[in-house]
Short mmCIF file of all heavy atoms in Angstrom, two decimals:
data_model
loop_
_atom_site.label_atom_id
_atom_site.label_comp_id
_atom_site.label_asym_id
_atom_site.label_seq_id
_atom_site.Cartn_x
_atom_site.Cartn_y
_atom_site.Cartn_z
N ASN A 1 109.60 175.56 168.56
CA ASN A 1 108.16 175.40 168.81
C ASN A 1 107.63 174.07 168.28
O ASN A 1 106.75 173.46 168.91
CB ASN A 1 107.38 176.55 168.19
CG ASN A 1 107.73 177.90 168.76
OD1 ASN A 1 107.48 178.94 168.15
ND2 ASN A 1 108.34 177.93 169.95
N TRP A 2 108.13 173.61 167.15
CA TRP A 2 107.69 172.32 166.62
C TRP A 2 108.08 171.18 167.56
O TRP A 2 107.31 170.24 167.76
CB TRP A 2 108.31 172.08 165.23
CG TRP A 2 107.47 172.56 164.10
CD1 TRP A 2 107.71 173.62 163.27
CD2 TRP A 2 106.24 171.98 163.65
NE1 TRP A 2 106.70 173.75 162.35
CE2 TRP A 2 105.78 172.76 162.55
CE3 TRP A 2 105.46 170.91 164.07
CZ2 TRP A 2 104.60 172.47 161.87
CZ3 TRP A 2 104.28 170.62 163.38
CH2 TRP A 2 103.87 171.40 162.30
N ILE A 3 109.27 171.27 168.14
CA ILE A 3 109.70 170.22 169.09
C ILE A 3 108.80 170.22 170.31
O ILE A 3 108.32 169.17 170.76
CB ILE A 3 111.17 170.44 169.48
CG1 ILE A 3 112.09 170.25 168.26
CG2 ILE A 3 111.57 169.47 170.60
CD1 ILE A 3 113.53 170.65 168.51
N SER A 4 108.53 171.42 170.86
CA SER A 4 107.67 171.52 172.04
C SER A 4 106.26 171.03 171.74
O SER A 4 105.61 170.37 172.56
CB SER A 4 107.62 172.97 172.53
OG SER A 4 108.91 173.42 172.90
N HIS A 5 105.76 171.36 170.53
CA HIS A 5 104.42 170.94 170.12
C HIS A 5 104.34 169.42 170.01
O HIS A 5 103.39 168.79 170.50
CB HIS A 5 104.08 171.59 168.78
CG HIS A 5 102.82 171.09 168.16
ND1 HIS A 5 101.57 171.41 168.61
CD2 HIS A 5 102.62 170.26 167.10
CE1 HIS A 5 100.65 170.82 167.88
NE2 HIS A 5 101.27 170.11 166.95
N TRP A 6 105.33 168.83 169.38
CA TRP A 6 105.34 167.37 169.21
C TRP A 6 105.40 166.66 170.56
O TRP A 6 104.64 165.72 170.82
CB TRP A 6 106.53 166.95 168.34
CG TRP A 6 106.90 165.50 168.50
CD1 TRP A 6 106.11 164.43 168.30
CD2 TRP A 6 108.17 164.99 168.91
NE1 TRP A 6 106.80 163.26 168.56
CE2 TRP A 6 108.06 163.58 168.93
CE3 TRP A 6 109.38 165.58 169.25
CZ2 TRP A 6 109.13 162.76 169.30
CZ3 TRP A 6 110.44 164.75 169.62
CH2 TRP A 6 110.31 163.37 169.64
N LEU A 7 106.24 167.13 171.46
CA LEU A 7 106.40 166.49 172.76
C LEU A 7 105.27 166.84 173.72
O LEU A 7 105.03 166.10 174.70
CB LEU A 7 107.74 166.90 173.39
CG LEU A 7 109.00 166.36 172.72
CD1 LEU A 7 110.23 167.03 173.32
CD2 LEU A 7 109.09 164.84 172.87
N GLY A 8 104.60 167.97 173.50
CA GLY A 8 103.56 168.41 174.43
C GLY A 8 104.15 168.92 175.74
O GLY A 8 103.55 168.75 176.80
N VAL A 9 105.32 169.58 175.66
CA VAL A 9 105.98 170.08 176.87
C VAL A 9 105.66 171.55 177.07
O VAL A 9 105.29 172.26 176.13
CB VAL A 9 107.51 169.87 176.80
CG1 VAL A 9 107.81 168.37 176.79
CG2 VAL A 9 108.12 170.53 175.56
N THR A 10 105.82 172.03 178.31
CA THR A 10 105.31 173.36 178.66
C THR A 10 106.40 174.35 179.08
O THR A 10 106.09 175.45 179.52
CB THR A 10 104.29 173.24 179.81
OG1 THR A 10 104.95 172.67 180.96
CG2 THR A 10 103.12 172.37 179.40
N GLY A 11 107.67 173.97 178.94
CA GLY A 11 108.74 174.88 179.31
C GLY A 11 109.00 175.92 178.24
O GLY A 11 108.35 175.93 177.18
N PRO A 12 109.96 176.84 178.47
CA PRO A 12 110.30 177.85 177.47
C PRO A 12 110.69 177.20 176.14
O PRO A 12 111.28 176.12 176.11
CB PRO A 12 111.50 178.57 178.09
CG PRO A 12 111.43 178.27 179.54
CD PRO A 12 110.80 176.92 179.66
N SER A 13 110.32 177.86 175.04
CA SER A 13 110.58 177.29 173.71
C SER A 13 110.93 178.43 172.77
O SER A 13 110.07 179.21 172.38
CB SER A 13 109.34 176.53 173.22
OG SER A 13 109.57 175.94 171.95
N TYR A 14 112.21 178.55 172.43
CA TYR A 14 112.62 179.67 171.59
C TYR A 14 113.95 179.39 170.91
O TYR A 14 114.65 178.42 171.24
CB TYR A 14 112.69 180.96 172.40
CG TYR A 14 113.61 180.94 173.59
CD1 TYR A 14 114.94 181.35 173.51
CD2 TYR A 14 113.13 180.54 174.85
CE1 TYR A 14 115.77 181.35 174.62
CE2 TYR A 14 113.96 180.54 175.96
CZ TYR A 14 115.28 180.95 175.84
OH TYR A 14 116.09 180.95 176.95
N THR A 15 114.28 180.27 169.97
CA THR A 15 115.50 180.16 169.19
C THR A 15 116.47 181.26 169.61
O THR A 15 116.05 182.40 169.84
CB THR A 15 115.19 180.27 167.69
OG1 THR A 15 114.35 179.17 167.31
CG2 THR A 15 116.46 180.24 166.86
N VAL A 16 117.75 180.92 169.67
CA VAL A 16 118.80 181.87 170.01
C VAL A 16 119.69 182.05 168.79
O VAL A 16 120.12 181.07 168.17
CB VAL A 16 119.65 181.36 171.19
CG1 VAL A 16 120.87 182.24 171.40
CG2 VAL A 16 118.82 181.32 172.46
N ASP A 17 119.95 183.32 168.44
CA ASP A 17 120.85 183.60 167.32
C ASP A 17 121.87 184.64 167.78
O ASP A 17 121.58 185.82 167.85
CB ASP A 17 120.07 184.13 166.11
CG ASP A 17 120.98 184.43 164.91
OD1 ASP A 17 122.19 184.19 165.01
OD2 ASP A 17 120.45 184.91 163.88
N THR A 18 123.06 184.17 168.14
CA THR A 18 124.18 185.06 168.44
C THR A 18 125.36 184.70 167.54
O THR A 18 126.50 184.72 167.96
CB THR A 18 124.58 184.97 169.92
OG1 THR A 18 124.98 183.62 170.22
CG2 THR A 18 123.44 185.37 170.83
N ALA A 19 125.02 184.33 166.29
CA ALA A 19 126.03 183.92 165.30
C ALA A 19 126.75 182.67 165.79
O ALA A 19 126.11 181.74 166.25
CB ALA A 19 126.98 185.07 164.98
N CYS A 20 128.09 182.66 165.75
CA CYS A 20 128.84 181.44 166.04
C CYS A 20 128.77 180.99 167.49
O CYS A 20 129.14 179.87 167.81
CB CYS A 20 130.31 181.61 165.63
SG CYS A 20 130.53 181.91 163.87
N SER A 21 128.30 181.86 168.37
CA SER A 21 128.17 181.49 169.78
C SER A 21 126.75 181.06 170.14
O SER A 21 126.44 180.88 171.32
CB SER A 21 128.59 182.67 170.67
OG SER A 21 127.77 183.81 170.43
N SER A 22 125.90 180.86 169.16
CA SER A 22 124.47 180.61 169.43
C SER A 22 124.24 179.44 170.37
O SER A 22 123.46 179.54 171.32
CB SER A 22 123.73 180.35 168.11
OG SER A 22 123.73 181.50 167.29
N THR A 23 124.91 178.31 170.14
CA THR A 23 124.63 177.16 170.99
C THR A 23 125.25 177.30 172.37
O THR A 23 124.77 176.70 173.33
CB THR A 23 125.13 175.85 170.34
OG1 THR A 23 126.45 176.02 169.84
CG2 THR A 23 124.22 175.43 169.22
N MET A 24 126.30 178.10 172.49
CA MET A 24 126.85 178.34 173.82
C MET A 24 125.90 179.21 174.65
O MET A 24 125.72 178.99 175.85
CB MET A 24 128.21 179.00 173.72
CG MET A 24 129.30 178.11 173.12
SD MET A 24 129.72 176.66 174.16
CE MET A 24 128.65 175.40 173.52
N TYR A 25 125.28 180.19 174.01
CA TYR A 25 124.26 180.99 174.69
C TYR A 25 123.05 180.11 175.04
O TYR A 25 122.47 180.24 176.12
CB TYR A 25 123.84 182.18 173.84
CG TYR A 25 124.65 183.42 174.09
CD1 TYR A 25 125.89 183.60 173.48
CD2 TYR A 25 124.20 184.40 174.96
CE1 TYR A 25 126.66 184.73 173.72
CE2 TYR A 25 124.95 185.55 175.20
CZ TYR A 25 126.18 185.70 174.58
OH TYR A 25 126.93 186.81 174.84
N ALA A 26 122.66 179.24 174.11
CA ALA A 26 121.54 178.34 174.37
C ALA A 26 121.86 177.42 175.55
O ALA A 26 121.00 177.16 176.41
CB ALA A 26 121.23 177.51 173.13
N MET A 27 123.09 176.94 175.59
CA MET A 27 123.51 176.04 176.68
C MET A 27 123.46 176.77 178.02
O MET A 27 122.98 176.22 179.03
CB MET A 27 124.92 175.53 176.40
CG MET A 27 125.32 174.33 177.21
SD MET A 27 124.47 172.84 176.59
CE MET A 27 125.08 171.64 177.76
N GLU A 28 123.95 177.99 178.04
CA GLU A 28 123.94 178.76 179.31
C GLU A 28 122.50 178.98 179.79
O GLU A 28 122.20 178.80 180.98
CB GLU A 28 124.63 180.11 179.12
CG GLU A 28 124.69 180.91 180.40
CD GLU A 28 124.91 182.40 180.18
OE1 GLU A 28 124.53 182.91 179.11
OE2 GLU A 28 125.44 183.05 181.10
N GLN A 29 121.62 179.35 178.88
CA GLN A 29 120.26 179.61 179.29
C GLN A 29 119.55 178.34 179.73
O GLN A 29 118.74 178.36 180.67
CB GLN A 29 119.51 180.31 178.17
CG GLN A 29 120.10 181.68 177.86
CD GLN A 29 119.18 182.55 177.01
OE1 GLN A 29 117.98 182.37 176.98
NE2 GLN A 29 119.77 183.52 176.33
N ALA A 30 119.84 177.23 179.08
CA ALA A 30 119.26 175.95 179.49
C ALA A 30 119.74 175.58 180.90
O ALA A 30 118.94 175.15 181.75
CB ALA A 30 119.65 174.86 178.49
N TYR A 31 121.03 175.75 181.14
CA TYR A 31 121.60 175.46 182.46
C TYR A 31 120.91 176.28 183.54
O TYR A 31 120.52 175.78 184.60
CB TYR A 31 123.10 175.76 182.41
CG TYR A 31 123.80 175.77 183.74
CD1 TYR A 31 124.20 174.58 184.35
CD2 TYR A 31 124.10 176.97 184.38
CE1 TYR A 31 124.86 174.59 185.57
CE2 TYR A 31 124.76 176.99 185.60
CZ TYR A 31 125.14 175.80 186.19
OH TYR A 31 125.80 175.82 187.40
N ARG A 32 120.72 177.58 183.27
CA ARG A 32 120.11 178.46 184.26
C ARG A 32 118.62 178.14 184.47
O ARG A 32 118.10 178.27 185.58
CB ARG A 32 120.30 179.92 183.84
CG ARG A 32 121.75 180.35 183.87
CD ARG A 32 121.92 181.83 183.56
NE ARG A 32 123.32 182.19 183.52
CZ ARG A 32 124.08 182.43 184.60
NH1 ARG A 32 123.54 182.35 185.81
NH2 ARG A 32 125.35 182.75 184.48
N ASN A 33 117.95 177.71 183.41
CA ASN A 33 116.53 177.34 183.54
C ASN A 33 116.35 176.19 184.52
O ASN A 33 115.38 176.16 185.29
CB ASN A 33 115.95 176.98 182.18
CG ASN A 33 115.37 178.18 181.45
OD1 ASN A 33 114.53 178.88 181.98
ND2 ASN A 33 115.84 178.42 180.24
N ILE A 34 117.26 175.21 184.46
CA ILE A 34 117.17 174.09 185.40
C ILE A 34 117.67 174.50 186.78
O ILE A 34 117.05 174.19 187.80
CB ILE A 34 117.96 172.87 184.88
CG1 ILE A 34 117.39 172.37 183.53
CG2 ILE A 34 117.94 171.74 185.90
CD1 ILE A 34 118.14 171.20 182.94
N LYS A 35 118.78 175.21 186.82
CA LYS A 35 119.40 175.60 188.09
C LYS A 35 118.43 176.40 188.97
O LYS A 35 118.38 176.21 190.19
CB LYS A 35 120.67 176.40 187.82
CG LYS A 35 121.44 176.82 189.08
CD LYS A 35 122.71 177.57 188.71
CE LYS A 35 123.46 178.04 189.94
NZ LYS A 35 123.99 176.91 190.74
N PHE A 36 117.67 177.29 188.34
CA PHE A 36 116.79 178.16 189.12
C PHE A 36 115.35 177.66 189.16
O PHE A 36 114.43 178.41 189.52
CB PHE A 36 116.86 179.59 188.59
CG PHE A 36 118.23 180.19 188.75
CD1 PHE A 36 118.98 180.55 187.64
CD2 PHE A 36 118.78 180.36 190.00
CE1 PHE A 36 120.25 181.09 187.79
CE2 PHE A 36 120.06 180.90 190.16
CZ PHE A 36 120.80 181.26 189.05
N GLY A 37 115.12 176.41 188.74
CA GLY A 37 113.84 175.76 188.96
C GLY A 37 112.75 176.05 187.95
O GLY A 37 111.61 175.66 188.16
#
């Protein structure tokens, strides 16, 4: 949220916690957010 606030951007803004796979889940969701518009 701090990053979104600083940039003034309006897309989804949230934290993912799936332990050691957290950034892989974040990457997948980011990919799908762009892929599906």
Side-chain angles (χ1 to χ4, degrees):
N1 298 160
W2 268 110
I3 295 171
S4 299
H5 172 74
W6 160 57
L7 291 171
V9 295
T10 60
S13 181
Y14 57 92
T15 297
V16 171
D17 180 2
T18 60
C20 298
S21 60
S22 295
T23 47
M24 293 294 93
Y25 269 83
M27 196 74 183
E28 182 200 27
Q29 296 194 24
Y31 169 81
R32 294 184 183 280
N33 271 306
I34 298 179
K35 183 178 178 66
F36 297 116

